[in-house]
Amino acid sequence: MTDTANLTPDDAFELLLAGNQRFVAGTPEHPNQDAERRAALAAVQQPFAVLFGCSDSRLAAEIIFDRGLGDLFVVRTAGHVMGPEVLGSIEYGVGVLGCPLVVVLGHDACGAVAATRSAVEDGATADGYVRDVIERVTPSVLAARAAGLTDNGEIIAEHTRNTVDLLLDRSRVLADQVAAGRTGVVGLTYSLADGSARVVAARGLKAAEV
């Protein structure tokens, strides 16, 4: 298993980025996906990153970052919106499992962002709890509009940055870990067409400065 006790936040980010580069190049190694790895994880897990991303079916984290069993502690919701259960899950990954990296993963053609833009611009409504997702994305869309951003990619990047800021604002556990240099947080936006992940925000990381 990857020894997270000896990984810095930058080490973890570089490990994750290398996997994405292999995926983009079409040369994945499919690490940690065999019976030996499965057996080794039966009693303990030591992931090197928490990945908080959108539930979109095209965003399978272990595939796009070319990782395997036990590598990533994954939390996913539509539009990567968060509530107490999401924050608790991320804090578990950082505070209990000792992950040195937290990743917020947005992507282009995000349905949650598109639905929120329609609600803001056209007054379109949604039924049930989809409305709650839209309400949680709305501050990001409004912030993007206030900044004069109109391109979908720019708005999604803004939503990803806002999620990073919100995580650190709402989670004292995570903020303290970042302040102590034990954990880094990075916001990435993923391109569905070419499979690449681009840094749009970073906290506590030197390798991911934007």
Side-chain angles (χ1 to χ4, degrees), residues 1 37-47 70 97:
M1 280 182 283
R37 176 68 165 181
R38 184 182 67 227
L41 290 169
V44 64
Q45 62 171 320
Q46 198 175 40
L97 299 179

Side-chain angles (χ1 to χ4, degrees), residues 1-193:
M1 280 182 283
T2 303
D3 186 1
T4 58
N6 294 322
L7 279 182
T8 67
D10 285 296
D11 291 337
F13 175 71
E14 290 174 358
L15 190 62
L16 190 79
L17 191 62
N20 180 246
Q21 290 170 345
R22 292 193 301 271
F23 174 68
V24 171
T27 57
E29 297 175 357
H30 305 294
N32 300 328
Q33 297 181 18
D34 55 14
E36 182 180 359
R37 176 68 165 181
R38 184 182 67 227
L41 290 169
V44 64
Q45 62 171 320
Q46 198 175 40
F48 70 85
V50 176
L51 192 142
F52 175 38
C54 182
S55 297
D56 193 293
S57 62
R58 299 164 291 183
L59 233 66
E62 286 84 357
I63 294 176
I64 67 176
F65 291 107
D66 192 30
R67 300 311 312 176
L69 297 172
D71 288 332
L72 304 177
F73 190 75
V74 181
V75 183
R76 297 173 68 183
T77 64
H80 52 82
V81 300
M82 73 180 77
E85 65 287 345
V86 168
L87 289 164
S89 297
I90 293 171
E91 289 186 351
Y92 182 86
V94 171
V96 178
L97 299 179
C99 293
L101 181 68
V102 174
V103 180
V104 175
L105 183 64
H107 68 97
D108 56 4
C110 178
V113 172
T116 304
R117 288 193 71 180
S118 293
V120 170
E121 296 169 5
D122 306 322
T125 59
D127 296 326
Y129 285 100
V130 174
R131 185 178 303 169
D132 184 66
V133 173
I134 290 173
E135 288 175 354
R136 296 189 190 203
V137 179
T138 296
S140 296
V141 172
L142 292 176
R145 290 185 70 185
L149 304 178
T150 57
D151 177 76
N152 279 332
E154 293 176 333
I155 294 171
I156 288 163
E158 181 69 14
H159 179 47
T160 304
R161 286 190 290 267
N162 285 350
T163 303
V164 168
D165 290 340
L166 188 60
L167 266 178
L168 290 167
D169 182 61
R170 294 188 63 185
S171 173
R172 176 56 62 87
V173 170
L174 181 56
D176 287 348
Q177 289 285 97
V178 172
R182 291 189 292 267
T183 304
V185 182
V186 63
L188 303 176
T189 55
Y190 176 76
S191 169
L192 295 172

